[in-house]
């Protein structure tokens, strides 16, 4: 398979998995309600995203870096609001 097509698939996957966090982040931002969100899940998720980001940076994988940087901001924002609003 062509390297361009592989990168395109990577960017498409990154867009989907990153965009999946947006509705939750928007809902938490608007309602300030985080009671049904698992603190443990978001702690582990943000750690995993940070590790994927480091891996992507070290391996030079642009789709991986882009996806995990943006997703980490969204998931990190949800985690921050979970810690702030409980």
């Amino acid at each position: 398979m062509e390297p361009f097509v592989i990168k395109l698939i990577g960017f498409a996957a990154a867009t989907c998995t990153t965009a999946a966090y947006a509705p939750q982040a928007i809902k938490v931002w608007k309602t300030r309600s985080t009671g049904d969100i698992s603190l443990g899940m978001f702690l582990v998720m943000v750690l995993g995203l940070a590790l994927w980001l480091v891996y992507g940076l070290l391996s030079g994988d642009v789709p991986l870096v882009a996806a995990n940087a943006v997703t980490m901001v969204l998931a990190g924002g949800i985690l921050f609001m979970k810690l702030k609003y409980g």
Side-chain angles (χ1 to χ4, degrees):
M1 190 174 285
E2 294 290 323
F4 174 77
V5 174
I6 294 169
K7 290 290 182 189
L8 193 59
I9 292 168
F11 276 115
T15 300
C16 290
T17 57
T18 299
Y21 280 88
Q24 186 68 60
I26 292 166
K27 183 176 181 179
V28 168
W29 178 262
K30 286 181 178 180
T31 66
R32 304 291 195 254
S33 175
T34 61
D36 292 334
I37 294 175
S38 168
L39 176 60
M41 181 268 189
F42 272 91
L43 285 170
V44 173
M45 178 59 72
V46 170
L47 175 60
L49 290 165
L51 292 170
W52 274 117
L53 181 59
V54 170
Y55 174 80
L57 289 167
L58 293 173
S59 65
D61 190 327
V62 176
L64 196 63
V65 170
N68 286 290
V70 174
T71 306
M72 200 163 98
V73 168
L74 292 170
I78 294 168
L79 176 60
F80 173 79
M81 288 184 272
K82 175 65 175 174
L83 293 170
K84 184 174 180 177
Y85 303 120

